[in-house]
mmCIF file of all heavy atoms in Angstrom:
data_model
loop_
_atom_site.group_PDB
_atom_site.id
_atom_site.type_symbol
_atom_site.label_atom_id
_atom_site.label_comp_id
_atom_site.label_asym_id
_atom_site.label_seq_id
_atom_site.Cartn_x
_atom_site.Cartn_y
_atom_site.Cartn_z
ATOM 1 N N ALA A 24 9.880 19.078 7.701
ATOM 2 C CA ALA A 24 9.091 17.974 8.289
ATOM 3 C C ALA A 24 9.381 16.730 7.569
ATOM 4 O O ALA A 24 9.487 16.790 6.395
ATOM 5 C CB ALA A 24 7.553 18.479 8.246
ATOM 6 N N TYR A 25 9.444 15.626 8.293
ATOM 7 C CA TYR A 25 9.510 14.407 7.720
ATOM 8 C C TYR A 25 8.165 13.609 8.016
ATOM 9 O O TYR A 25 7.904 13.323 9.164
ATOM 10 C CB TYR A 25 10.641 13.536 8.265
ATOM 11 C CG TYR A 25 12.019 14.021 7.887
ATOM 12 C CD1 TYR A 25 12.920 14.480 8.801
ATOM 13 C CD2 TYR A 25 12.467 13.914 6.549
ATOM 14 C CE1 TYR A 25 14.023 14.810 8.528
ATOM 15 C CE2 TYR A 25 13.686 14.278 6.154
ATOM 16 C CZ TYR A 25 14.520 14.878 7.254
ATOM 17 O OH TYR A 25 15.780 15.242 6.757
ATOM 18 N N GLY A 26 7.282 13.667 7.064
ATOM 19 C CA GLY A 26 5.994 13.145 7.543
ATOM 20 C C GLY A 26 5.316 13.967 8.500
ATOM 21 O O GLY A 26 5.260 15.195 8.403
ATOM 22 N N LEU A 28 6.449 14.243 11.439
ATOM 23 C CA LEU A 28 7.446 14.786 12.402
ATOM 24 C C LEU A 28 8.071 16.153 11.968
ATOM 25 O O LEU A 28 8.631 16.257 10.833
ATOM 26 C CB LEU A 28 8.535 13.713 12.579
ATOM 27 C CG LEU A 28 9.724 14.118 13.484
ATOM 28 C CD1 LEU A 28 9.363 13.742 14.872
ATOM 29 C CD2 LEU A 28 10.998 13.459 13.074
ATOM 30 N N ARG A 29 8.009 17.083 12.861
ATOM 31 C CA ARG A 29 8.675 18.373 12.634
ATOM 32 C C ARG A 29 10.109 18.306 13.182
ATOM 33 O O ARG A 29 10.366 18.512 14.327
ATOM 34 C CB ARG A 29 7.944 19.545 13.221
ATOM 35 C CG ARG A 29 6.561 19.895 12.641
ATOM 36 C CD ARG A 29 6.172 21.316 12.877
ATOM 37 N NE ARG A 29 5.254 21.733 11.787
ATOM 38 C CZ ARG A 29 5.627 22.257 10.799
ATOM 39 N NH1 ARG A 29 6.852 22.601 10.536
ATOM 40 N NH2 ARG A 29 4.806 22.641 9.774
ATOM 41 N N ALA A 30 11.014 17.911 12.230
ATOM 42 C CA ALA A 30 12.425 17.888 12.712
ATOM 43 C C ALA A 30 12.978 19.239 12.949
ATOM 44 O O ALA A 30 13.871 19.374 13.789
ATOM 45 C CB ALA A 30 13.172 17.136 11.669
ATOM 46 N N ASN A 31 12.610 20.162 12.198
ATOM 47 C CA ASN A 31 13.013 21.669 12.466
ATOM 48 C C ASN A 31 11.633 22.446 12.423
ATOM 49 O O ASN A 31 10.908 22.252 11.626
ATOM 50 C CB ASN A 31 13.917 22.220 11.400
ATOM 51 C CG ASN A 31 15.329 21.728 11.539
ATOM 52 O OD1 ASN A 31 16.240 22.035 10.802
ATOM 53 N ND2 ASN A 31 15.593 20.899 12.658
ATOM 54 N N LEU A 47 24.354 22.654 19.663
ATOM 55 C CA LEU A 47 24.271 21.572 20.647
ATOM 56 C C LEU A 47 22.849 21.062 20.719
ATOM 57 O O LEU A 47 21.831 21.779 20.239
ATOM 58 C CB LEU A 47 24.544 22.076 22.102
ATOM 59 C CG LEU A 47 25.980 22.104 22.581
ATOM 60 C CD1 LEU A 47 25.966 22.761 23.883
ATOM 61 C CD2 LEU A 47 26.402 20.588 22.725
ATOM 62 N N GLY A 48 22.670 19.852 21.142
ATOM 63 C CA GLY A 48 21.343 19.333 21.211
ATOM 64 C C GLY A 48 21.214 17.818 21.388
ATOM 65 O O GLY A 48 22.220 17.075 20.985
ATOM 66 N N GLU A 49 20.261 17.247 22.009
ATOM 67 C CA GLU A 49 20.185 15.857 22.123
ATOM 68 C C GLU A 49 20.120 15.059 20.898
ATOM 69 O O GLU A 49 19.827 15.840 19.816
ATOM 70 C CB GLU A 49 18.957 15.562 23.036
ATOM 71 C CG GLU A 49 18.829 16.148 24.376
ATOM 72 C CD GLU A 49 17.687 15.468 25.099
ATOM 73 O OE1 GLU A 49 16.582 15.994 24.995
ATOM 74 O OE2 GLU A 49 17.881 14.440 25.886
ATOM 75 N N ASN A 50 20.207 13.894 20.910
ATOM 76 C CA ASN A 50 20.092 12.973 19.670
ATOM 77 C C ASN A 50 18.557 13.263 19.168
ATOM 78 O O ASN A 50 17.623 13.267 19.980
ATOM 79 C CB ASN A 50 20.203 11.546 20.048
ATOM 80 C CG ASN A 50 21.561 11.172 20.360
ATOM 81 O OD1 ASN A 50 21.885 10.562 21.335
ATOM 82 N ND2 ASN A 50 22.474 11.525 19.432
ATOM 83 N N GLY A 51 18.493 13.613 17.952
ATOM 84 C CA GLY A 51 17.111 13.776 17.388
ATOM 85 C C GLY A 51 16.686 15.257 17.454
ATOM 86 O O GLY A 51 15.544 15.457 17.163
ATOM 87 N N ALA A 52 17.482 16.115 18.010
ATOM 88 C CA ALA A 52 16.983 17.463 18.347
ATOM 89 C C ALA A 52 16.758 18.179 16.944
ATOM 90 O O ALA A 52 16.130 19.147 16.912
ATOM 91 C CB ALA A 52 17.983 18.250 19.255
ATOM 92 N N GLY A 53 17.471 17.771 15.883
ATOM 93 C CA GLY A 53 17.374 18.353 14.658
ATOM 94 C C GLY A 53 18.513 19.118 14.019
ATOM 95 O O GLY A 53 18.479 19.875 13.201
ATOM 96 N N LYS A 54 19.663 18.869 14.704
ATOM 97 C CA LYS A 54 20.992 19.472 14.220
ATOM 98 C C LYS A 54 21.329 19.111 12.759
ATOM 99 O O LYS A 54 21.550 20.043 12.039
ATOM 100 C CB LYS A 54 22.135 19.127 15.266
ATOM 101 C CG LYS A 54 21.833 19.262 16.705
ATOM 102 C CD LYS A 54 23.002 18.864 17.558
ATOM 103 C CE LYS A 54 23.111 17.387 17.556
ATOM 104 N NZ LYS A 54 22.150 16.509 18.167
ATOM 105 N N THR A 55 21.507 17.854 12.555
ATOM 106 C CA THR A 55 21.778 17.414 11.263
ATOM 107 C C THR A 55 20.826 17.824 10.161
ATOM 108 O O THR A 55 21.189 18.331 9.119
ATOM 109 C CB THR A 55 21.972 15.985 11.222
ATOM 110 O OG1 THR A 55 22.893 15.488 12.086
ATOM 111 C CG2 THR A 55 22.339 15.408 9.868
ATOM 112 N N THR A 56 19.615 17.791 10.557
ATOM 113 C CA THR A 56 18.542 18.253 9.721
ATOM 114 C C THR A 56 18.636 19.758 9.342
ATOM 115 O O THR A 56 18.547 20.085 8.078
ATOM 116 C CB THR A 56 17.090 18.049 10.287
ATOM 117 O OG1 THR A 56 16.941 16.752 10.745
ATOM 118 C CG2 THR A 56 15.964 18.421 9.392
ATOM 119 N N LEU A 57 19.001 20.547 10.303
ATOM 120 C CA LEU A 57 19.073 21.906 10.042
ATOM 121 C C LEU A 57 20.268 22.231 9.007
ATOM 122 O O LEU A 57 20.195 23.059 8.081
ATOM 123 C CB LEU A 57 19.329 22.692 11.318
ATOM 124 C CG LEU A 57 19.489 24.276 11.245
ATOM 125 C CD1 LEU A 57 18.183 24.844 10.786
ATOM 126 C CD2 LEU A 57 19.868 24.836 12.591
ATOM 127 N N MET A 58 21.493 21.371 9.279
ATOM 128 C CA MET A 58 22.517 21.630 8.332
ATOM 129 C C MET A 58 22.378 21.158 6.977
ATOM 130 O O MET A 58 22.706 21.633 6.028
ATOM 131 C CB MET A 58 23.766 20.933 9.003
ATOM 132 C CG MET A 58 24.184 21.551 10.379
ATOM 133 S SD MET A 58 24.687 23.380 10.045
ATOM 134 C CE MET A 58 23.280 24.102 10.808
ATOM 135 N N LYS A 59 21.589 19.985 6.894
ATOM 136 C CA LYS A 59 21.159 19.516 5.650
ATOM 137 C C LYS A 59 20.151 20.500 4.981
ATOM 138 O O LYS A 59 20.340 20.688 3.674
ATOM 139 C CB LYS A 59 20.319 18.138 5.801
ATOM 140 C CG LYS A 59 21.351 16.992 6.046
ATOM 141 C CD LYS A 59 20.588 15.728 5.874
ATOM 142 C CE LYS A 59 21.424 14.472 6.122
ATOM 143 N NZ LYS A 59 20.575 13.354 6.405
ATOM 144 N N PRO A 66 14.130 18.607 2.857
ATOM 145 C CA PRO A 66 12.891 19.180 2.294
ATOM 146 C C PRO A 66 12.408 20.386 3.179
ATOM 147 O O PRO A 66 11.620 20.170 4.062
ATOM 148 C CB PRO A 66 11.808 17.978 2.351
ATOM 149 C CG PRO A 66 12.213 17.149 3.432
ATOM 150 C CD PRO A 66 13.826 17.292 3.582
ATOM 151 N N GLN A 97 28.845 13.362 8.638
ATOM 152 C CA GLN A 97 29.466 12.510 9.668
ATOM 153 C C GLN A 97 29.930 11.233 9.000
ATOM 154 O O GLN A 97 30.948 10.605 9.380
ATOM 155 C CB GLN A 97 28.361 12.167 10.698
ATOM 156 C CG GLN A 97 29.053 11.569 11.894
ATOM 157 C CD GLN A 97 28.014 11.416 13.013
ATOM 158 O OE1 GLN A 97 26.944 11.987 13.013
ATOM 159 N NE2 GLN A 97 28.300 10.466 13.873
ATOM 160 N N ASP A 176 29.663 18.168 10.973
ATOM 161 C CA ASP A 176 28.685 17.371 11.681
ATOM 162 C C ASP A 176 29.421 16.353 12.603
ATOM 163 O O ASP A 176 29.805 15.347 12.058
ATOM 164 C CB ASP A 176 27.636 16.823 10.733
ATOM 165 C CG ASP A 176 26.423 16.258 11.561
ATOM 166 O OD1 ASP A 176 26.329 16.419 12.750
ATOM 167 O OD2 ASP A 176 25.491 15.892 10.995
ATOM 168 N N GLU A 177 29.351 16.494 13.845
ATOM 169 C CA GLU A 177 29.996 15.612 14.875
ATOM 170 C C GLU A 177 31.397 15.127 14.290
ATOM 171 O O GLU A 177 31.598 13.997 14.218
ATOM 172 C CB GLU A 177 29.158 14.308 15.043
ATOM 173 C CG GLU A 177 27.851 14.768 15.737
ATOM 174 C CD GLU A 177 26.999 13.727 16.300
ATOM 175 O OE1 GLU A 177 27.676 12.795 16.809
ATOM 176 O OE2 GLU A 177 25.917 13.731 16.331
ATOM 177 N N ILE A 207 29.287 20.754 15.282
ATOM 178 C CA ILE A 207 28.275 20.108 16.106
ATOM 179 C C ILE A 207 29.137 19.015 16.798
ATOM 180 O O ILE A 207 29.857 18.224 16.382
ATOM 181 C CB ILE A 207 27.220 19.362 15.097
ATOM 182 C CG1 ILE A 207 26.511 20.394 14.245
ATOM 183 C CG2 ILE A 207 26.293 18.473 15.953
ATOM 184 C CD1 ILE A 207 25.508 19.717 13.241
ATOM 185 N N HIS A 209 28.602 16.429 20.752
ATOM 186 C CA HIS A 209 27.780 16.235 22.068
ATOM 187 C C HIS A 209 28.672 16.436 23.272
ATOM 188 O O HIS A 209 28.212 16.436 24.340
ATOM 189 C CB HIS A 209 27.313 14.727 22.037
ATOM 190 C CG HIS A 209 26.183 14.462 21.115
ATOM 191 N ND1 HIS A 209 25.028 15.004 21.245
ATOM 192 C CD2 HIS A 209 26.086 13.712 19.956
ATOM 193 C CE1 HIS A 209 24.257 14.639 20.264
ATOM 194 N NE2 HIS A 209 24.927 13.811 19.354
ATOM 195 N N LEU A 224 19.629 23.365 20.419
ATOM 196 C CA LEU A 224 18.270 22.935 19.871
ATOM 197 C C LEU A 224 17.651 21.934 20.810
ATOM 198 O O LEU A 224 18.264 21.158 21.448
ATOM 199 C CB LEU A 224 18.451 22.374 18.536
ATOM 200 C CG LEU A 224 19.057 23.107 17.430
ATOM 201 C CD1 LEU A 224 19.026 22.418 16.080
ATOM 202 C CD2 LEU A 224 18.482 24.453 17.220
ATOM 203 N N GLY A 227 13.533 20.201 17.911
ATOM 204 C CA GLY A 227 13.399 20.887 16.662
ATOM 205 C C GLY A 227 13.210 22.462 16.773
ATOM 206 O O GLY A 227 13.008 23.163 15.834
ATOM 207 N N ARG A 353 27.058 0.411 15.141
ATOM 208 C CA ARG A 353 25.698 0.023 15.099
ATOM 209 C C ARG A 353 25.029 0.079 13.778
ATOM 210 O O ARG A 353 24.052 -0.609 13.499
ATOM 211 C CB ARG A 353 24.888 0.837 16.185
ATOM 212 C CG ARG A 353 24.941 2.346 15.977
ATOM 213 C CD ARG A 353 24.130 3.023 16.975
ATOM 214 N NE ARG A 353 24.403 4.435 17.196
ATOM 215 C CZ ARG A 353 25.468 4.939 18.031
ATOM 216 N NH1 ARG A 353 25.924 4.048 18.839
ATOM 217 N NH2 ARG A 353 25.749 6.084 17.908
ATOM 218 N N ASP A 403 12.132 6.796 20.579
ATOM 219 C CA ASP A 403 11.367 7.861 19.972
ATOM 220 C C ASP A 403 11.197 7.540 18.474
ATOM 221 O O ASP A 403 12.152 7.863 17.654
ATOM 222 C CB ASP A 403 12.221 9.297 20.117
ATOM 223 C CG ASP A 403 11.300 10.404 19.639
ATOM 224 O OD1 ASP A 403 10.112 10.198 19.321
ATOM 225 O OD2 ASP A 403 11.864 11.448 19.646
ATOM 226 N N CYS A 404 10.073 6.935 18.173
ATOM 227 C CA CYS A 404 9.849 6.518 16.763
ATOM 228 C C CYS A 404 8.319 6.772 16.490
ATOM 229 O O CYS A 404 7.471 6.673 17.411
ATOM 230 C CB CYS A 404 10.147 5.129 16.385
ATOM 231 S SG CYS A 404 9.523 3.929 17.409
ATOM 232 N N GLN A 409 8.642 2.214 11.431
ATOM 233 C CA GLN A 409 9.652 3.185 10.930
ATOM 234 C C GLN A 409 10.966 2.519 10.747
ATOM 235 O O GLN A 409 11.421 1.645 11.479
ATOM 236 C CB GLN A 409 9.760 4.359 11.966
ATOM 237 C CG GLN A 409 10.633 5.544 11.548
ATOM 238 C CD GLN A 409 10.671 6.653 12.438
ATOM 239 O OE1 GLN A 409 9.778 6.709 13.370
ATOM 240 N NE2 GLN A 409 11.667 7.485 12.250
ATOM 241 N N GLU A 410 11.683 2.858 9.635
ATOM 242 C CA GLU A 410 12.983 2.303 9.258
ATOM 243 C C GLU A 410 14.023 2.822 10.247
ATOM 244 O O GLU A 410 13.859 3.987 10.658
ATOM 245 C CB GLU A 410 13.385 2.888 7.808
ATOM 246 C CG GLU A 410 13.047 1.969 6.703
ATOM 247 C CD GLU A 410 13.490 2.410 5.382
ATOM 248 O OE1 GLU A 410 14.407 3.193 5.387
ATOM 249 O OE2 GLU A 410 12.933 2.011 4.370
ATOM 250 N N ARG A 412 16.877 3.510 9.862
ATOM 251 C CA ARG A 412 17.725 4.509 9.250
ATOM 252 C C ARG A 412 17.449 5.912 9.639
ATOM 253 O O ARG A 412 18.155 6.833 9.844
ATOM 254 C CB ARG A 412 17.697 4.419 7.784
ATOM 255 C CG ARG A 412 18.509 5.522 6.969
ATOM 256 C CD ARG A 412 18.272 5.256 5.429
ATOM 257 N NE ARG A 412 18.684 3.913 5.102
ATOM 258 C CZ ARG A 412 19.820 3.547 4.949
ATOM 259 N NH1 ARG A 412 20.778 4.350 5.225
ATOM 260 N NH2 ARG A 412 20.076 2.292 4.576
ATOM 261 N N THR A 413 16.010 6.172 9.884
ATOM 262 C CA THR A 413 15.493 7.445 10.123
ATOM 263 C C THR A 413 15.389 7.780 11.621
ATOM 264 O O THR A 413 15.013 8.921 11.966
ATOM 265 C CB THR A 413 14.135 7.697 9.522
ATOM 266 O OG1 THR A 413 13.264 6.646 10.069
ATOM 267 C CG2 THR A 413 14.140 7.377 7.888
ATOM 268 N N LEU A 414 15.872 6.845 12.453
ATOM 269 C CA LEU A 414 15.918 7.185 13.830
ATOM 270 C C LEU A 414 17.201 8.005 14.143
ATOM 271 O O LEU A 414 18.196 7.892 13.446
ATOM 272 C CB LEU A 414 15.947 5.926 14.692
ATOM 273 C CG LEU A 414 14.872 4.899 14.706
ATOM 274 C CD1 LEU A 414 15.253 3.746 15.623
ATOM 275 C CD2 LEU A 414 13.541 5.643 15.190
ATOM 276 N N SER A 415 17.156 8.864 15.177
ATOM 277 C CA SER A 415 18.380 9.469 15.584
ATOM 278 C C SER A 415 19.337 8.555 16.159
ATOM 279 O O SER A 415 19.035 7.501 16.683
ATOM 280 C CB SER A 415 18.010 10.730 16.466
ATOM 281 O OG SER A 415 17.792 10.222 17.814
ATOM 282 N N GLY A 416 20.592 9.016 16.258
ATOM 283 C CA GLY A 416 21.719 8.004 16.761
ATOM 284 C C GLY A 416 21.435 7.498 18.114
ATOM 285 O O GLY A 416 21.518 6.246 18.359
ATOM 286 N N GLY A 417 20.877 8.295 19.000
ATOM 287 C CA GLY A 417 20.604 7.787 20.314
ATOM 288 C C GLY A 417 19.413 6.846 20.279
ATOM 289 O O GLY A 417 19.596 5.767 21.116
ATOM 290 N N ASN A 418 18.431 6.983 19.513
ATOM 291 C CA ASN A 418 17.345 5.994 19.477
ATOM 292 C C ASN A 418 17.732 4.767 18.805
ATOM 293 O O ASN A 418 17.303 3.707 19.137
ATOM 294 C CB ASN A 418 16.218 6.551 18.796
ATOM 295 C CG ASN A 418 15.495 7.538 19.707
ATOM 296 O OD1 ASN A 418 14.952 7.252 20.798
ATOM 297 N ND2 ASN A 418 15.472 8.914 19.377
ATOM 298 N N GLY A 443 28.734 8.897 19.830
ATOM 299 C CA GLY A 443 27.770 9.677 19.132
ATOM 300 C C GLY A 443 26.416 9.985 19.812
ATOM 301 O O GLY A 443 25.587 10.566 19.302
ATOM 302 N N LEU A 444 26.368 9.607 21.093
ATOM 303 C CA LEU A 444 25.086 9.792 21.880
ATOM 304 C C LEU A 444 25.274 11.090 22.727
ATOM 305 O O LEU A 444 26.261 11.469 23.213
ATOM 306 C CB LEU A 444 24.900 8.590 22.834
ATOM 307 C CG LEU A 444 24.731 7.299 22.145
ATOM 308 C CD1 LEU A 444 24.017 6.382 23.197
ATOM 309 C CD2 LEU A 444 23.956 7.355 20.906
ATOM 310 N N ASP A 445 24.146 11.701 22.928
ATOM 311 C CA ASP A 445 24.012 12.983 23.702
ATOM 312 C C ASP A 445 24.116 12.580 25.171
ATOM 313 O O ASP A 445 24.111 11.325 25.615
ATOM 314 C CB ASP A 445 22.787 13.763 23.490
ATOM 315 C CG ASP A 445 21.498 12.936 23.842
ATOM 316 O OD1 ASP A 445 21.454 12.436 24.889
ATOM 317 O OD2 ASP A 445 20.490 12.964 22.973
ATOM 318 N N ARG B 2 11.072 12.336 23.080
ATOM 319 C CA ARG B 2 10.039 13.387 22.782
ATOM 320 C C ARG B 2 8.741 13.038 23.479
ATOM 321 O O ARG B 2 8.289 11.860 23.412
ATOM 322 C CB ARG B 2 9.819 13.462 21.331
ATOM 323 C CG ARG B 2 9.100 14.644 20.967
ATOM 324 C CD ARG B 2 9.366 14.891 19.448
ATOM 325 N NE ARG B 2 10.756 15.008 19.228
ATOM 326 C CZ ARG B 2 11.283 15.138 17.980
ATOM 327 N NH1 ARG B 2 10.562 15.231 17.061
ATOM 328 N NH2 ARG B 2 12.664 15.141 17.952
ATOM 329 N N LYS B 19 1.612 2.680 6.359
ATOM 330 C CA LYS B 19 3.037 3.060 5.987
ATOM 331 C C LYS B 19 3.393 2.102 4.963
ATOM 332 O O LYS B 19 4.047 2.384 3.906
ATOM 333 C CB LYS B 19 3.924 3.005 7.250
ATOM 334 C CG LYS B 19 5.333 3.502 6.898
ATOM 335 C CD LYS B 19 5.796 4.070 8.234
ATOM 336 C CE LYS B 19 6.861 5.163 7.962
ATOM 337 N NZ LYS B 19 7.162 5.926 9.155
HETATM 338 N N1 LIG C 1 14.907 10.851 6.415
HETATM 339 C C1 LIG C 1 14.220 10.980 7.457
HETATM 340 N N2 LIG C 1 12.953 10.455 7.529
HETATM 341 C C2 LIG C 1 12.184 10.554 8.721
HETATM 342 N N3 LIG C 1 12.742 11.021 9.799
HETATM 343 C C3 LIG C 1 13.859 11.589 9.911
HETATM 344 C C4 LIG C 1 14.753 11.547 8.681
HETATM 345 N N4 LIG C 1 15.893 12.225 9.058
HETATM 346 C C5 LIG C 1 15.806 12.541 10.300
HETATM 347 N N5 LIG C 1 14.566 12.181 10.772
HETATM 348 C C6 LIG C 1 14.109 12.376 12.185
HETATM 349 O O1 LIG C 1 14.242 13.774 12.391
HETATM 350 C C7 LIG C 1 14.511 14.151 13.828
HETATM 351 C C8 LIG C 1 15.867 14.994 13.850
HETATM 352 O O2 LIG C 1 16.957 14.144 13.298
HETATM 353 P P1 LIG C 1 18.428 14.759 13.177
HETATM 354 O O3 LIG C 1 19.188 13.682 12.416
HETATM 355 O O4 LIG C 1 18.366 16.195 12.593
HETATM 356 O O5 LIG C 1 18.949 14.861 14.721
HETATM 357 P P2 LIG C 1 20.291 15.165 15.251
HETATM 358 O O6 LIG C 1 19.984 16.390 16.145
HETATM 359 O O7 LIG C 1 21.279 15.386 14.181
HETATM 360 O O8 LIG C 1 20.679 13.922 16.263
HETATM 361 P P3 LIG C 1 22.012 13.073 16.481
HETATM 362 O O9 LIG C 1 22.683 13.749 17.571
HETATM 363 O O10 LIG C 1 21.565 11.911 16.902
HETATM 364 O O11 LIG C 1 22.648 13.155 15.224
HETATM 365 C C9 LIG C 1 14.817 12.697 14.442
HETATM 366 O O12 LIG C 1 13.629 12.401 15.255
HETATM 367 C C10 LIG C 1 14.871 11.770 13.251
HETATM 368 O O13 LIG C 1 14.347 10.449 13.601
#
Side-chain angles (χ1 to χ4, degrees):
Chain A
Y25 292 113
L28 176 87
R29 289 205 156 268
N31 283 176
L47 268 178
E49 298 190 274
N50 293 123
K54 306 178 294 291
T55 300
T56 304
L57 182 65
M58 291 301 105
K59 281 191 176 160
Q97 197 176 340
D176 193 356
E177 296 192 34
I207 301 179
H209 289 296
L224 300 186
R353 59 177 160 267
D403 189 6
C404 56
Q409 186 175 344
E410 272 184 22
R412 177 182 303 289
T413 62
L414 294 182
S415 78
N418 284 299
L444 300 197
D445 64 44
Chain B
R2 195 159 307 177
K19 190 150 201 165

